[in-house]
Amino acid sequence: MAEHILETDGFTLSFGLSVFETDLQYAVNTILSVLVKSGGFSASAKLDIDIRQVIAFIKDLQSIYDTLEGSAKLEEPYGFQQYISFAPDKTGHITVKGYLCDGRKEHELYFHNVFDQTCLKDFAEELSFCCSTYNM
């Protein structure tokens, strides 16, 4: 599983995808492993999602980078509704927010960070390349 990392000053977001190809017809067919380091806090979690949702998310990230408009969000359809969202502003900054928890919801992390638009390009391109097999 390849890691896709977005790293800025004091903030790291890492994605790893495990797609279960025999389950593509189901609403949950992918495990997204997420690692977040934000300031002095960190969390790792696994989100149960659909690869089609990941593909739409990637397209939204690329659009944010290109136009500084719209938003991009990955959210579990079931379970704990863990999520990660990106939104731009007109000055070239991207806000990332999210909620992660462990499998029993004993530990939770809500995070928020702002970074420059240029940090998004490589992250979105890496994810796009990784998922190009699944463009449905």
Side-chain angles (χ1 to χ4, degrees):
M1 168 177 39
E3 258 188 304
H4 310 286
I5 300 172
L6 186 154
E7 192 163 19
T8 68
D9 188 34
F11 180 77
T12 303
L13 176 64
S14 173
F15 282 179
L17 290 164
S18 297
V19 180
F20 299 94
E21 294 183 10
T22 58
D23 294 339
L24 290 178
Q25 71 273 19
Y26 300 114
V28 174
N29 52 42
T30 302
I31 303 245
L32 175 66
S33 299
V34 178
L35 172 65
V36 171
K37 294 179 184 175
S38 186
F41 297 92
S42 66
S44 62
K46 296 191 182 306
L47 284 69
D48 294 323
I49 55 177
D50 182 354
I51 190 64
R52 289 172 283 268
Q53 182 185 11
V54 175
I55 292 165
F57 173 76
I58 294 166
K59 289 177 182 175
D60 290 343
L61 283 180
Q62 291 170 324
S63 178
I64 288 171
Y65 176 78
D66 291 339
T67 66
L68 285 177
E69 294 180 355
S71 64
K73 186 173 186 178
L74 275 175
E75 183 173 13
E76 287 184 309
Y78 310 111
F80 297 117
Q81 280 78 44
Q82 298 178 93
Y83 73 91
I84 299 164
S85 67
F86 290 76
D89 68 22
K90 295 295 181 193
T91 65
H93 294 98
I94 310 294
T95 299
V96 59
K97 295 180 183 181
Y99 164 71
L100 301 174
C101 65
D102 65 4
R104 296 178 304 265
K105 212 170 180 181
E106 292 176 354
H107 303 282
E108 300 175 303
L109 177 67
Y110 288 91
F111 62 92
H112 172 270
N113 204 287
V114 178
F115 56 88
D116 187 79
Q117 164 193 13
T118 58
C119 298
L120 191 57
K121 183 177 189 211
D122 290 342
F123 182 68
E125 285 178 354
E126 286 178 18
L127 283 170
S128 180
F129 179 76
C130 170
C131 294
S132 62
T133 310
Y134 304 104
N135 282 331
M136 301 171 194

